[in-house]
Amino acid sequence: MTERRTTAIAAGLFAASVALAASGTWVHLQVADTPLPPATEGSESPAFLWAMLCFTGVGAVVASRRPANPIGWLLLAEGLLWQLNRPAGDLRTYLEVTQGGLRGAAVAAWVFDVVWIAPACALPLIFLLFPSGRVPSPRWRVALGALAVGTALLGVAIGFRPGPFTTSPRIDNPVGVPALGPAAAGLETAGNVLVAATFVAGLASLVVRYRRSDVTTRQQLKWLALAVGVIVAAWSTANVLEALGAADPKTVGAVRTLPLLLVPIACGVAVLKYRLYDIDLVINKLFVYGGLAGAIIALYVAVVVGAGAVIGSQSEPNLALSVAATATAALAFDPARRGLQRLAGRAVYGRRATPYEALASMTRRVSAGYLATDALEAMARSIAQATGGRGEVWVAGADGLRRSACWPPPGGGVVAPAPLRDPLEVAGRDGTFPVRRRDQVLGALTVTKARGEPIRPAEQRLLADLADSAAYVLENARLVNELRSSRQRLVTAQDNERRRVERDLHDGAQQRLLELSLTLGRVERQIASDRGGAAATLAEADHQLRQALAELRDLARGIHPAILTEHGLEAAVESLAARAPLPVELDVAVGRRLDPTVESTTYFVASEAVTNVVKHARQARARITIGLTADALEVEIVDDGAGGADPHGSGLRGLADRVAALDGRFEVTSEPGRGTRVRAVLPCA
Amino acid sequence: MRILVVDDHPGFRRQARLMLEEAGYDVVGEVGDGATAIGTARELHPDVVLLDIGLPDHDGFSVATVLAAEAVPPAVVLISGREMDDGDARVAACGARGFLAKAHLSPESLHASLEHRAAS
């Protein structure tokens, strides 16, 4: 079905609902002054019919937006069926008394007496299917079956019961089945039991669903839970009012029925807009202010009535007592509000950890986590549990702060990529706690609480403590990330190096040897007929062979210079300077052999730096300084070339990784026009 | 027999030209890339093109395919410094007469390659 068609059907049903409310009102006005025969029940005020537009209106919107979800259609049916059923009493009276037509009146009486079964039984169905439109698990289908059987039993027992209608004793059921007579009462009881059981099952399914749900579904369920809570409270109040005889039946009826309207509203908001309205805040405030109002009234009553009884001044108002009660209530207001706020917080967000628990659990979780990402998530979780808000952990990278963990996880449990933020901007916000080590911002912890709920001073202190303890976790995460990418770069550099060697071999020595092979072939053919030519060709072959050898030597030196292995760093760097096509000044004082890895890394730092000078500034001069300190070898290559070298280019990046792999330090200073300075410090014993 | 030598290494081209000329072939030209090879072949109409597979602009297979579509296509013999099977499907698919490893290139092997395919 197309979306337009669905919308048209939903709108049509809503229009029918308006028509039913209007016609019901018209009929009601026609019979308003007609006295009812004894024991006959009449329709209630048409206000109920108009209030049902709430069900059909929300139902129509939900059905058109989510046609596959039965909740919208159920809400529509719920409203329409009540609107069909309730005015039928007036219609019956109208037809019976005004028109004298008993036949039509019998049909209206049947609708009035029987049709209420359907909307009454649809209510537990809404609870069972809310919010996804499916039962929580396959075993809950039993409840659906029981509801269907119960509804059918009630329909048969009441719809086909022979004799006069319960609500219209003067009219007989035109479709009554005499044979059903004795069994009808039994069937009705069985039906009632089954439907009542499914009503309880419906409420239980909401609880089960809540416990198994993710954050989103819980938000949706909270709306319906709020509605159900108000309905239960209203029904209890109505029962008390009825028992005390404190209100007229119409008021009692209104207290019972009006809160039902919260069901469609809650369903609609939950299904369509659950992210828009802050349900946590609504429940929280309701709890706090409802509780506060109740507590103040109770206090006031206790002081005025209780103390009045004790001092015997019950009959007339006592000004002193009233003042005392007001003062007590005023004094108790703020502590009571804070206490209730805490209770409400617990009711809505669950139990919050104490500062000590939060710190301890974070340490436990962080040390249990193997991967850095686990540790970050554990921190976000600790923040959430300690504050009841949403906890986020931001880690500083080269280009700002990136959200690396969030609890509760958004939507499907995956942390959505968040934009990079400036550390200073984050540090300046409320609910944001920068994680620092010395003066460096390593990241930030943020907490976002429900609208209107402030971050309490105790939470501020706790988060500041968490941020202090987070420094080592964030530093660890940063180092792990750095290690991972440098390892990746080393592998890539190694692969590139292998490819380069293969290419150099193929284009260099191999081509020379192929030439040599052709040349020797020529010699072979010349030798019998043209000895002079053969001698010249042989000389050519000799030249090619020497060229091939020189190229192989160069290549080998690029992989690992033999002179470095045999004669050490000083000799190798001297040879490097001698072969360089630009003047290279040397200040090398090592004096002894070092660890081969340190020697080769130092050599390649010098060699790559000189290559870069040659590549970008042929006219430049360079100076290589190598010296030993107590525990390190320092190498520095300075040139007066063009400068502006990119330290993130593959060559310099590769050197940095090589030096870092030996726990060394690597620096490049290269301002445009001011030459380049490459410096490495390598620890060595 | 008129031959065009196509290879991006000047040293190898020179030796191949000398070897073939000493064996009595007429080397009408030598070029270093695919695009020039196609242009030169159209201009000089050689009988044979000795065509390196690893050229800087195109690979030898695609150049051979273009040459095979000419009105009077030359016989193309592919060459390479890398090892490859003469029966490689790509050699037949591009319309070349045969393949010779550079290390085995000689007037005799070229002759054999041209004869072999011509016979089959």
Side-chain angles (χ1 to χ4, degrees), chain A residues 480-554:
Chain A
V480 167
N481 280 342
E482 211 167 90
L483 183 67
R484 196 178 290 145
S485 43
S486 105
R487 214 159 44 182
Q488 218 160 25
R489 284 197 303 270
L490 280 173
V491 171
T492 311
Q494 209 170 37
D495 279 353
N496 288 343
E497 183 64 12
R498 286 202 180 116
R499 270 194 289 273
R500 185 186 69 79
V501 168
E502 196 275 341
R503 205 177 46 242
D504 285 359
L505 270 173
H506 177 258
D507 289 345
Q510 191 184 354
Q511 294 304 325
R512 298 270 172 268
L513 293 173
L514 285 170
E515 278 175 53
L516 179 63
S517 147
L518 293 189
T519 313
L520 289 175
R522 286 175 54 215
V523 173
E524 194 184 1
R525 280 183 289 275
Q526 286 171 337
I527 207 146
S529 54
D530 179 11
R531 291 185 75 86
T537 311
L538 259 181
E540 233 178 293
D542 178 58
H543 176 69
Q544 287 160 358
L545 186 59
R546 282 171 203 283
Q547 260 190 321
L549 281 172
E551 280 177 14
L552 277 174
R553 229 179 353 247
D554 279 351

Side-chain angles (χ1 to χ4, degrees), chain A residues 199-550:
Chain A
F199 196 90
V200 174
L203 291 177
S205 78
L206 281 175
V207 174
V208 168
R209 213 187 271 273
Y210 185 89
R211 293 177 64 161
R212 289 184 190 163
S213 305
D214 60 15
V215 182
T216 305
T217 316
R218 284 188 175 194
Q219 287 289 103
Q220 296 172 324
L221 287 171
K222 275 180 189 173
W223 281 103
L224 193 59
L226 176 69
V228 170
V230 173
I231 289 169
V232 170
W235 282 359
S236 313
T237 313
N239 287 344
V240 172
L241 288 174
E242 203 170 38
L244 295 176
D248 62 292
K250 282 204 166 173
T251 313
V252 173
V255 171
R256 275 217 184 94
T257 48
L258 284 181
L260 280 179
L261 302 177
L262 291 174
V263 171
I265 296 171
C267 292
V269 171
V271 173
L272 296 173
K273 295 277 185 194
Y274 60 92
R275 283 189 189 279
L276 195 64
Y277 299 112
D278 209 336
I279 179 65
D280 287 343
L281 185 69
V282 175
I283 296 181
N284 194 328
K285 292 284 179 254
L286 195 78
F287 190 94
V288 172
Y289 293 106
L292 211 54
I296 289 173
I297 291 167
L299 187 76
Y300 200 85
V301 169
V303 172
V304 175
V305 179
V310 172
I311 60 174
S313 66
Q314 225 169 348
S315 52
E316 53 195 76
N318 184 320
L319 181 64
L321 273 181
S322 297
V323 170
T326 310
T328 318
L331 283 174
F333 182 85
D334 198 48
R337 189 187 61 77
R338 269 186 278 144
L340 279 166
Q341 179 81 61
R342 256 200 305 281
L343 274 176
R346 275 195 191 179
V348 176
Y349 307 114
R351 201 181 74 84
R352 291 181 190 177
T354 64
Y356 171 76
E357 283 172 340
L359 274 170
S361 84
M362 187 186 88
T363 314
R364 201 170 47 243
R365 284 188 191 130
V366 165
S367 25
Y370 171 66
L371 296 168
T373 44
D374 294 344
L376 299 182
E377 191 183 287
M379 278 169 51
R381 233 169 129 163
S382 296
I383 299 167
Q385 285 190 349
T387 61
R390 190 178 71 242
E392 291 176 344
V393 180
W394 300 72
V395 178
D399 38 5
L401 290 189
R402 190 177 283 280
R403 188 173 70 172
S404 304
C406 176
W407 193 270
V414 180
V415 175
L420 293 169
R421 291 200 289 189
D422 176 21
L424 291 177
E425 180 207 329
V426 169
R429 278 179 16 146
D430 276 353
T432 298
F433 300 82
V435 179
R436 289 197 171 90
R437 198 194 52 178
R438 289 174 219 116
D439 287 335
Q440 195 190 356
V441 176
L442 298 174
L445 308 183
T446 63
V447 58
T448 313
K449 299 189 82 172
R451 203 153 27 97
E453 210 199 340
I455 301 175
R456 297 198 310 270
E459 289 169 347
Q460 296 262 12
R461 284 194 298 278
L462 169 64
L463 283 161
D465 286 347
L466 282 177
D468 286 345
S469 327
Y472 80 95
V473 180
L474 259 56
E475 178 69 352
N476 192 27
R478 188 184 65 78
L479 288 173
V480 167
N481 280 342
E482 211 167 90
L483 183 67
R484 196 178 290 145
S485 43
S486 105
R487 214 159 44 182
Q488 218 160 25
R489 284 197 303 270
L490 280 173
V491 171
T492 311
Q494 209 170 37
D495 279 353
N496 288 343
E497 183 64 12
R498 286 202 180 116
R499 270 194 289 273
R500 185 186 69 79
V501 168
E502 196 275 341
R503 205 177 46 242
D504 285 359
L505 270 173
H506 177 258
D507 289 345
Q510 191 184 354
Q511 294 304 325
R512 298 270 172 268
L513 293 173
L514 285 170
E515 278 175 53
L516 179 63
S517 147
L518 293 189
T519 313
L520 289 175
R522 286 175 54 215
V523 173
E524 194 184 1
R525 280 183 289 275
Q526 286 171 337
I527 207 146
S529 54
D530 179 11
R531 291 185 75 86
T537 311
L538 259 181
E540 233 178 293
D542 178 58
H543 176 69
Q544 287 160 358
L545 186 59
R546 282 171 203 283
Q547 260 190 321
L549 281 172

Side-chain angles (χ1 to χ4, degrees), chain A residues 138-207:
Chain A
R139 71 172 69 165
W140 286 90
R141 287 190 197 135
V142 176
L144 291 184
L147 183 62
V149 172
T151 311
L153 285 177
L154 284 177
V156 170
I158 300 172
F160 300 103
R161 186 163 44 198
F165 287 114
T166 324
T167 49
S168 320
R170 295 201 313 152
I171 305 174
D172 278 347
N173 185 353
V175 291
V177 178
L180 193 65
L187 289 179
E188 189 181 344
T189 310
N192 272 329
V193 168
L194 279 174
V195 171
T198 53
F199 196 90
V200 174
L203 291 177
S205 78
L206 281 175
V207 174

